[in-house]
Amino acid sequence: MLHKALENRWLRIVIGVFATFCYAVGVNFFIVPMNLYSSGLLGLCQVIRTVLVQNFGFSTTVDFSGILYLLINIPILLLAWRSMGKGFLIRTLICTVTSSLFLSLLHAPATPILEERLASCLVGGIICGFSLGLTLTCGCSSGGLDVIGLWMSKKGSRFTVGRFSMSFNVVLYGICAVLFDLPTVIYSVIYMVFVSLFIDRAHQQGISDQVLIFTKDGDPELPRNIMTRLGRGLTYWDGKGAYTGSDLRVLCVCVSKFEEAELKEVVRELDPHAFFIVQEGVRIDGNFIRKVS
């Protein structure tokens, strides 16, 4: 259902903007009231904001960490333009601006919604991680480390978006350990782990699958349709069923998790009786195109 919805480019932008709103809700309603720090570039902006407010008396009527986040994203958006294309840049620019606005305009409640810090980390991490992953699945990004992680993934790096974010945050929270108390750092790290896990779970374009398709249809139209509609190469070989002794064809193709549903749809249109073996989360090196839709 999500895959069908994302075929419409305008609906993808709408879903991406909605995801940035959900992210701002997760941060401002569950993390900020607990005096914790978000991960990534936003967390860095929050640390800068705290230092400016506490040490220099700098304050405004809105949370200017969102505005600072937008300014820092300018060189990152240039990276998106040079390496990921105009379409991705436009969608990322829209989502970065809306994310910064939501973060600045949604005021954190004076009283925390959840009394327990651990519960806030869990709920906030799930909401934020899922929201960021959904934004990436829509072919958008809210900027920050997402763009850098996508760029590294597209260049063939072994870092996923979540793994790169976690590495950056080790350094960020090391700074927090020096500036603030240790419990704040510990609970912020717990929140960051949940965010990283749910980014990679929700970001289906970042998960690679190996799919074996077993079909009795020897017509070359089936592999041709797969290559045409998904833009993926494949390999096939002839085999025999051990039980029936009948001839069959085995097709092997590697796709992203996001493309898996479309692959099955293409196959079932021509052979409703085909069956699949899917190995999820395989590591692929070499000439494999990592798409940012």
Side-chain angles (χ1 to χ4, degrees):
M1 182 176 179
L2 177 61
H3 173 75
K4 288 293 184 183
L6 296 183
E7 290 180 356
N8 186 307
R9 62 177 180 175
W10 299 111
L11 190 55
R12 288 163 67 183
I13 294 176
V14 171
I15 296 174
V17 170
F18 174 73
T20 63
F21 172 78
C22 293
Y23 174 71
V25 169
V27 171
N28 286 354
F29 286 13
F30 294 96
I31 303 306
V32 173
M34 291 294 180
N35 295 318
L36 302 179
Y37 291 88
S38 184
S39 54
L41 285 184
L42 178 60
L44 178 62
C45 294
Q46 290 174 325
V47 171
I48 294 173
R49 174 207 61 197
T50 301
V51 171
L52 290 176
V53 170
Q54 291 183 352
N55 297 331
F56 299 96
F58 189 85
S59 63
T60 61
T61 56
V62 297
D63 186 348
F64 62 90
S65 60
I67 299 173
L68 186 60
Y69 178 73
L70 179 61
L71 295 176
I72 293 179
N73 266 287
I74 292 176
I76 295 176
L77 292 175
L78 292 177
L79 174 65
W81 171 67
R82 294 184 60 126
S83 60
M84 296 184 180
K86 180 180 177 181
F88 181 77
L89 172 63
I90 293 174
R91 293 190 296 269
T92 297
L93 179 61
I94 293 172
C95 289
T96 302
V97 171
T98 56
S99 178
S100 300
L101 287 175
F102 291 141
L103 287 167
S104 298
L105 299 179
L106 285 178
H107 295 287
T111 303
I113 296 176
L114 300 174
E115 295 182 0
E116 292 292 332
R117 269 188 162 187
L118 184 59
S120 292
C121 292
L122 174 61
V123 175
I126 292 174
I127 294 174
C128 293
F130 180 79
S131 300
L132 292 174
L134 179 60
T135 305
L136 294 172
T137 298
C138 291
C140 308
S141 171
S142 59
L145 301 184
D146 297 346
V147 176
I148 301 175
L150 277 173
W151 176 76
M152 294 178 66
S153 177
K154 192 174 181 181
K155 292 295 183 182
S157 171
R158 296 176 60 180
F159 276 102
T160 63
V161 177
R163 287 175 184 171
F164 175 72
S165 298
M166 189 173 293
S167 300
F168 178 91
N169 290 321
V170 169
V171 178
L172 173 64
Y173 290 129
I175 296 173
C176 289
V178 175
L179 297 176
F180 312 116
D181 60 286
L182 191 58
T184 295
V185 175
I186 292 174
Y187 284 106
S188 296
V189 168
I190 293 173
Y191 158 72
M192 177 268 293
V193 170
F194 281 113
V195 170
S196 298
L197 291 174
F198 276 85
I199 284 177
D200 283 342
R201 279 295 175 185
H203 180 215
Q204 298 182 24
Q205 289 174 331
I207 302 174
S208 299
D209 291 350
Q210 180 189 44
V211 184
L212 296 179
I213 305 163
F214 296 82
T215 175
K216 294 181 179 180
D217 187 351
D219 192 329
E221 189 67 20
L222 179 56
R224 188 179 299 122
N225 273 16
I226 293 174
M227 290 187 289
T228 300
R229 288 177 54 176
L230 275 76
R232 294 293 188 188
L234 57 81
T235 302
Y236 68 83
W237 56 89
D238 295 324
K240 278 188 176 293
Y243 181 73
T244 63
S246 59
D247 295 332
L248 56 82
R249 175 167 287 178
V250 183
L251 292 80
C252 178
V253 59
C254 292
V255 295
S256 69
K257 182 67 176 175
F258 182 71
E259 295 170 311
E260 183 186 321
E262 184 176 4
L263 171 64
K264 292 180 179 179
E265 182 180 333
V266 172
V267 173
R268 284 168 179 158
E269 286 178 0
L270 296 177
D271 184 6
H273 302 291
F275 74 93
F276 307 82
I277 295 177
V278 180
Q279 185 176 1
E280 182 178 313
V282 297
R283 195 183 80 187
I284 302 176
D285 293 325
N287 187 25
F288 179 75
I289 299 174
R290 301 186 184 276
K291 300 180 180 179
V292 181
S293 300

